[in-house]
Amino acid sequence: MSKFFKITGITLGVVLLVAICFALYVNIDGIPNYKPGNINMKVEVTPERVAKGQKIASMLCIECHKNSDGVLTGKYLDELPKEFGVINSKNITNDPEIGIGSWTDGELYYLLRTGIAKDGHYIPPYMVKFPLAADEDIKSVIAFLRSNEKCVQANGEEPIASSPSFLVKMLSHIAWKPLPLSEKEIPMPDTNNVVAHGKYLFTAMYGCFMCHSKDFKTMNVLEPEKSEGFCGGGNHMQDKEGKEVITANVTFDETGIAKYTEDEFVQVVKFGKKRNGEMVRYPMFPHSQLTDVEVKAMFAYLKTIPKIKNQIKM
Ligand code: HEC
Ligand code: HEC
């Protein structure tokens, strides 16, 4: 018996030692680096692409990267969970040293698809990535970043360095990984197919499903419809004061948005006004830059997905 305890004790000791060594290693190593991409791409900056890219960025990039003057020199991300440590976004103006002026289009493209930056450092999931978006939409975002728009003109304001917590470092070693690069070019959806168009916008482009499915931990970024509780809501989030906000069930179940008419849906998605007259709470925000056609396409798509019974306590 004592021999048994001795062996168990030694085994536990070894396991503990390995765990401690791994934790120390993770803490020193920080967020891992990967092989940087090597994509040869030149994005032509056309007025159409800049306009499209600006529209996308206004909903998906600018809030996180703008300083108090609206210039994209980076800022402290107050709304992230405090357990992540101090996370600041970066300067993505065209400044060649502090910003992304010296990045190639291929490097930007690779980052936006996979999460791996020019120097190989990995950007955790708190920044959006686009593994499924159409090449043309990503090129539009790049064209916008390269444009003459005031908010991206070279500006050497240094962003404050982040200090991610041990949790972020650990998750970046064991759970969070770069996203795979699609081997084929991804085409734009056929906008004549309303449901396919809506699906593209809701999943691949604007990532609505991420907040609106059960939990970030079980969402499936590469096959959104396989996320647990797809669009059934219940994801626990926080408003700007740190108060809990639970995401809405946006399936067409009675406990979801079954009563919404198409026009009411446009009102809530574009202007934040819910059917019951209340305004949506942060982190849902009005997507006023979307066209009615786009929002109606999402409405048509949501009608086709399985209903989920999940009464959210608001
Ligand atoms: C939720 C906040 C958030 C959103 C939304 C966001 N970013 Fe970021 N971004 C970050 C953070 C934080 C970093 C720095 C991460 C790091 O290096 O640790 C970053 C880094 C970057 C970098 C790398 C800069 C460098 O010097 O390493 C680029 C380029 C970038 N973002 C572009 C974009 C674009 C384009 C969009 C919209 C499509 C976007 N970001 C949306 C938070 C965000
Ligand atoms: C950052 C997370 C987040 C994103 C991204 C997001 N939502 Fe929401 N959404 C929420 C939350 C949280 C609520 C609930 C707000 C409340 O209760 O006041 C909500 C509410 C809604 C509602 C109202 C439902 C009701 O019961 O009245 C609709 C419709 C909706 N979102 C659709 C969308 C669409 C479409 C998109 C993408 C264009 C989207 N959401 C993106 C978090 C998000």
Side-chain angles (χ1 to χ4, degrees):
M1 206 53 173
S2 72
K3 194 175 166 198
F4 170 77
F5 280 121
K6 208 166 150 191
I7 293 174
T8 318
I10 291 170
T11 314
L12 279 178
V14 170
V15 169
L16 197 65
L17 193 67
V18 170
I20 291 171
C21 288
F22 184 63
L24 282 174
Y25 158 73
V26 165
N27 204 28
I28 295 167
D29 189 50
I31 297 175
N33 270 51
Y34 292 86
K35 199 167 158 288
N38 174 24
I39 293 174
N40 191 1
M41 170 186 282
K42 182 81 199 115
V43 175
E44 201 193 329
V45 180
T46 63
E48 293 74 33
R49 277 191 173 150
V50 173
K52 180 82 177 290
Q54 177 155 39
K55 165 180 167 170
I56 295 171
S58 74
M59 289 176 266
L60 295 176
C61 321
I62 291 177
E63 279 308 314
C64 266
H65 279 277
K66 69 171 188 198
N67 69 9
S68 51
D69 298 327
V71 181
L72 307 189
T73 54
K75 68 165 196 184
Y76 166 56
L77 297 178
D78 194 15
E79 58 277 17
L80 289 182
K82 298 294 162 270
E83 299 79 53
F84 285 181
V86 177
I87 307 293
N88 298 297
S89 63
K90 290 204 172 160
N91 182 325
I92 58 168
T93 71
N94 278 293
D95 188 278
E97 268 149 48
I98 312 293
I100 55 161
S102 64
W103 289 45
T104 64
D105 292 342
E107 285 163 346
L108 285 170
Y109 177 88
Y110 195 69
L111 166 66
L112 292 174
R113 281 253 189 254
T114 66
I116 302 172
K118 176 188 166 76
D119 59 2
H121 90 265
Y122 165 66
I123 302 188
Y126 37 74
M127 167 160 153
V128 283
K129 322 280 160 33
F130 302 94
L132 305 175
D135 280 73
E136 182 53 34
D137 275 344
I138 296 185
K139 287 179 179 167
S140 294
V141 172
I142 295 173
F144 162 69
L145 293 173
R146 296 285 188 225
S147 73
N148 250 329
E149 292 299 320
K150 192 166 170 290
C151 64
V152 291
Q153 281 173 15
N155 181 316
E157 191 178 305
E158 288 252 16
I160 317 152
S162 295
S163 45
S165 66
F166 177 69
L167 175 69
V168 165
K169 294 178 189 169
M170 187 54 114
L171 286 171
S172 300
H173 273 269
I174 59 176
W176 296 338
K177 296 283 173 229
L179 299 169
L181 184 70
S182 165
E183 281 164 21
K184 286 192 262 116
E185 188 167 309
I186 305 181
M188 288 295 287
D190 173 7
T191 49
N192 290 320
N193 180 338
V194 178
V195 171
H197 185 206
K199 175 180 174 177
Y200 173 78
L201 296 168
F202 197 87
T203 57
M205 195 61 236
Y206 292 103
C208 316
F209 80 97
M210 296 184 180
C211 287
H212 281 283
S213 299
K214 189 173 178 207
D215 196 319
F216 287 126
K217 293 200 267 309
T218 51
M219 74 181 171
N220 189 330
V221 185
L222 298 176
E223 292 174 285
E225 290 174 329
K226 291 191 180 160
S227 300
E228 195 179 329
F230 180 65
C231 294
N235 199 351
H236 290 245
M237 309 191 67
Q238 289 178 355
D239 69 10
K240 291 201 169 169
E241 277 79 53
K243 250 180 60 205
E244 180 168 77
V245 178
I246 303 177
T247 64
N249 178 349
V250 291
T251 69
F252 273 84
D253 187 73
E254 285 304 313
T255 57
I257 58 166
K259 290 206 176 70
Y260 266 88
T261 64
E262 193 184 54
D263 287 336
E264 287 167 344
F265 186 78
V266 171
Q267 283 298 317
V268 70
V269 175
K270 284 184 68 170
F271 309 110
K273 192 161 166 256
K274 288 202 263 191
R275 202 176 163 270
N276 62 11
E278 288 169 16
M279 296 305 283
V280 287
R281 285 166 296 169
Y282 181 90
M284 178 70 191
F285 60 94
H287 293 68
S288 56
Q289 302 253 8
L290 293 173
T291 64
D292 286 12
V293 170
E294 289 173 321
V295 181
K296 287 175 181 175
M298 292 197 232
F299 185 78
Y301 166 64
L302 290 175
K303 282 209 154 165
T304 67
I305 66 168
K307 297 176 187 175
I308 292 181
K309 196 159 278 315
N310 186 20
Q311 186 68 55
I312 309 290
K313 286 193 243 32
M314 293 289 175

